[in-house]
């Protein structure tokens, strides 16, 4: 396994940034990971070019206390969890949130975990022996001479069997070859170690023949296998060879082009006190020419996350926004604000006696960024304190360190502090009141 040089970059950085090595920019453009208008890279995940592995971490990670190498470790685990547990296939593909290379990554991880638990494949065979192993009495009686004795017949030669274990067989060699490739591609990040060289794998000879011949051999081996582990392993090896050896090999690419889907999923999973309301929100309705009313539930309102405090007196409507949001110009616009106001009104209809607050959550650490979003009259000025509210409540802005969120999501932990901050901030201002333009 060749040593891998790891470079850490960020999603949404410009493709002409001096930190990007020569030749990598061309690969990014060829893979259509660069927005042609802005020159920004739209990708979060892993890209391998030759012996160089490039990790694109989420945007706005500057100032994070999380080490880059550990964040790459958690990013890989977050991608696997997102691929396995979310609808990140056909529906997500329309929005660019499908995990590119997700099937290969999931399969590689399954092979790594199996190898760590059970080691290299071992062929088990029952070998007939004499006086060495488990006695086969029917065969002994049928084939050997019995000598009379006071206690009954005595057999001087016993037909026995022993289990023979072979680690140098065709299947083991194929397994070793696949594991060398998998560990070379993913081992450093998945295992969180700087060295993943395994001497047991290095010492195994390369299997003779072609990948097609290996697949045929594994198919025959599968028919003779009975243990659950052997069946799982052989099927996984066949799937790997069919997928990875059947097409021309290009740069290894695993990740998401549009990270907002994973951003929403991680926040939804890690925030505390989720309230399920999407199946109760209003849906579009159409009256047809024959005077029938058709409801389109699949196109109804769908919130990112809704939280309810432990006292059931405060509901927070959360919109996970993967925006830069370091200035008003890079923050959500009118359509995003209107959507939140409608969510708030719809949930207010379901819970008329409960305080409802609105919230955006952006990636970052929040220093000097946005506090609230609200609707103001067009001619309002910062010094003007005479403009009254327009009836829309504020949308409170929060920032979450994206690298810390990767760690929490990958390890199954919760955002207790952010949840507490959301309810404290949302309770500070009644939702029926909008801040004046002069508010600090």
């Amino acid at each position: 396994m060749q040593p891998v040089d790891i470079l850490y970059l960020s999603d949404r950085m410009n493709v002409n940034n001096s930190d990007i090595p020569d030749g990598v920019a061309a690969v990014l453009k060829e893979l259509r990971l660069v927005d042609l208008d802005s020159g920004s890279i739209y990708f979060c995940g892993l890209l391998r070019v030759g012996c160089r592995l490039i990790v694109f971490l989420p945007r706005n990670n500057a100032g994070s206390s999380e080490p880059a190498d550990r964040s790459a470790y958690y990013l890989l685990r977050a991608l696997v969890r997102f691929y396995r547990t979310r609808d990140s296939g056909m529906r997500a593909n329309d929005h660019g949130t499908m995990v590119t290379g997700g099937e290969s990554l999931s399969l590689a991880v399954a092979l790594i975990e199996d190898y760590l638990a059970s080691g290299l494949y071992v062929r088990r065979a029952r070998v007939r022996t004499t006086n060495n192993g488990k006695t086969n009495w029917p065969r002994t009686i049928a084939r050997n001479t019995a000598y009379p004795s006071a206690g009954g017949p005595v057999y001087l030669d016993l037909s026995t069997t022993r289990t023979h274990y072979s680690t140098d067989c065709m299947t083991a060699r194929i397994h070793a070859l696949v594991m060398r490739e998998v560990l070379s591609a993913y081992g450093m990040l998945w295992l969180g170690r700087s060295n993943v060289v395994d001497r047991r794998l290095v010492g195994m000879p390369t299997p003779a023949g072609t990948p097609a011949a290996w697949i045929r051999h594994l198919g025959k081996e599968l028919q003779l296998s009975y243990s659950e582990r052997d069946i799982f392993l052989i099927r996984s090896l066949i799937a790997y060879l069919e997928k990875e050896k059947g097409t021309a090999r290009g740069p290894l690419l695993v990740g998401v082009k549009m990270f907002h889907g994973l951003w929403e999923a991680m926040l939804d999973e890690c925030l505390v006190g989720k309230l399920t309301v999407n199946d109760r929100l209003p849906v579009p309705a159409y009256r047809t020419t024959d005077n029938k009313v058709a409801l389109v539930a699949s196109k109804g309102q769908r919130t990112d996350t809704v939280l309810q405090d432990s006292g059931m007196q405060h509901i927070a409507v959360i919109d996970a926004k993967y925006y830069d949001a370091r200035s008003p110009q890079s923050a959500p616009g009118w359509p995003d604000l209107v959507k939140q106001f409608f969510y708030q009104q719809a949930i207010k209809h379901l819970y008329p006696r409960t305080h409802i607050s609105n919230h955006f959550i952006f990636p970052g650490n929040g220093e000097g960024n946005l506090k609230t979003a609200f609707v103001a009259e067009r001619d309002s000025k910062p010094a003007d304190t005479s403009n009254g509210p327009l009836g829309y409540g504020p949308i409170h802005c929060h920032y979450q360190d994206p690298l810390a969120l990767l760690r929490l999501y990958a390890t199954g932990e919760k955002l207790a502090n952010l949840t507490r901050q959301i309810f404290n901030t949302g309770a500070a201002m009644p939702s029926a009141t909008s801040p004046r333009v002069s508010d600090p």
Side-chain angles (χ1 to χ4, degrees):
M1 290 177 283
Q2 295 177 316
V4 178
D5 176 24
I6 302 180
L7 175 66
Y8 299 98
L9 302 175
S10 295
D11 182 23
R12 305 302 171 91
M13 71 186 305
N14 193 279
V15 71
N16 296 319
N17 191 293
S18 59
D19 291 336
I20 299 178
D22 296 338
V24 173
V27 174
L28 291 169
K29 292 177 181 177
E30 182 180 349
L31 295 173
R32 299 182 180 180
L33 303 179
V34 179
D35 179 71
L36 298 180
D37 294 329
S38 65
S40 297
I41 297 171
Y42 275 69
F43 181 69
C44 192
L46 317 176
L47 169 65
R48 182 168 181 170
V49 181
C51 291
R52 167 162 276 169
L53 184 63
I54 305 172
V55 179
F56 291 89
L57 296 171
R59 72 187 307 173
N60 293 6
N61 62 66
S64 173
S65 60
E66 303 284 332
D69 56 345
R70 295 301 293 173
S71 296
Y73 166 81
Y74 290 123
L75 172 61
L76 195 64
R77 291 175 177 266
L79 288 170
V80 171
R81 181 176 183 183
F82 181 63
Y83 175 79
R84 290 178 174 176
T85 60
R86 300 285 293 195
D87 181 12
S88 56
M90 292 182 293
R91 183 178 65 82
N93 190 34
D94 296 336
H95 308 284
T97 59
M98 182 181 68
V99 180
T100 302
E103 182 180 355
S104 296
L105 174 60
S106 182
L107 179 59
V109 166
L111 285 167
I112 291 175
E113 296 295 334
D114 170 82
Y115 180 75
L116 293 177
S118 304
L120 200 59
Y121 175 84
V122 175
R123 167 175 271 178
R124 301 167 185 82
R126 301 290 291 181
V127 180
R128 290 178 179 176
T129 57
T130 300
N131 297 330
N132 187 8
K134 183 179 180 180
T135 303
N136 184 332
W137 285 111
R139 184 176 178 84
T140 298
I141 295 171
R143 292 178 174 267
N144 296 301
T145 301
Y147 296 91
S149 70
V154 174
Y155 292 89
L156 299 181
D157 294 318
L158 301 177
S159 295
T160 55
T161 59
R162 292 192 65 183
T163 302
H164 176 70
Y165 298 92
S166 174
T167 58
D168 188 14
C169 60
M170 183 66 166
T171 302
R173 293 184 179 191
I174 296 171
H175 187 197
L177 171 72
V178 170
M179 290 312 304
R180 287 196 293 266
E181 293 184 2
V182 166
L183 288 174
S184 176
Y186 303 103
M188 292 180 66
L189 295 180
W190 182 256
L191 301 177
R193 300 201 304 254
S194 59
N195 186 358
V196 294
V197 175
D198 190 322
R199 298 189 182 279
R200 291 171 297 177
L201 300 178
V202 174
M204 285 293 292
T206 301
T210 64
W214 303 341
I215 292 173
R216 288 195 297 271
H217 168 81
L218 291 174
K220 295 177 182 178
E221 190 83 354
L222 182 61
Q223 296 177 358
L224 303 175
S225 300
Y226 298 97
S227 74
E228 291 185 7
R229 189 265 171 158
D230 287 355
I231 293 173
F232 165 80
L233 173 60
I234 294 173
R235 284 177 175 172
S236 298
L237 291 174
I238 292 173
Y240 177 89
L241 293 172
E242 288 178 341
K243 182 170 183 58
E244 302 300 326
K245 300 295 185 181
T247 58
R249 303 297 301 275
L252 183 147
L253 183 71
V254 176
V256 288
K257 295 182 179 180
M258 302 295 289
F259 190 74
H260 67 267
L262 182 50
W263 180 249
E264 294 171 3
M266 291 193 299
L267 287 170
D268 182 66
E269 180 65 29
C270 294
L271 289 167
V272 182
K274 285 194 297 182
L275 177 66
T276 302
V277 296
N278 284 340
D279 58 348
R280 300 163 59 195
L281 295 180
V283 300
Y286 293 89
R287 188 177 297 278
T288 61
T289 54
D290 55 359
N291 209 33
K292 294 182 179 179
V293 175
L295 302 178
V296 190
S298 61
K299 297 182 179 181
Q301 291 181 317
R302 190 175 187 85
T303 62
D304 286 352
T305 301
V306 177
L307 305 179
Q308 187 173 42
D309 70 344
S310 57
M312 304 182 68
Q313 299 299 313
H314 183 179
I315 292 176
V317 186
I318 311 297
D319 195 6
K321 288 297 183 188
Y322 188 64
Y323 281 59
D324 181 62
R326 285 181 285 191
S327 69
Q329 288 69 35
S330 60
W334 177 253
D336 296 298
L337 271 64
V338 168
K339 183 178 65 173
Q340 284 303 105
F341 295 144
F342 270 91
Y343 285 158
Q344 184 180 34
Q345 292 302 315
I347 296 175
K348 189 67 177 178
H349 179 73
L350 297 176
Y351 300 90
R353 299 182 180 276
T354 305
H355 172 62
I356 315 267
S357 60
N358 254 327
H359 304 263
F360 285 147
I361 303 180
F362 305 112
N365 294 298
E367 296 88 350
N369 289 328
L370 309 177
K371 182 179 178 181
T372 56
F374 56 95
V375 176
E377 296 179 2
R378 184 176 291 272
D379 59 353
S380 299
K381 298 179 181 179
D384 183 4
T385 60
S386 63
N387 289 312
L390 296 179
Y392 300 101
I395 302 176
H396 304 280
C397 299
H398 307 269
Y399 293 83
Q400 170 59 43
D401 181 346
L403 303 189
L405 182 58
L406 284 174
R407 172 174 53 80
L408 296 173
Y409 178 71
T411 58
E413 299 179 64
K414 296 297 183 180
L415 286 165
N417 290 337
L418 179 58
T419 302
R420 191 179 305 110
Q421 179 191 111
I422 286 170
F423 284 119
N424 290 342
T425 305
M429 184 181 300
S431 60
T433 317
S434 178
R436 297 180 184 272
V437 178
S438 59
D439 282 355

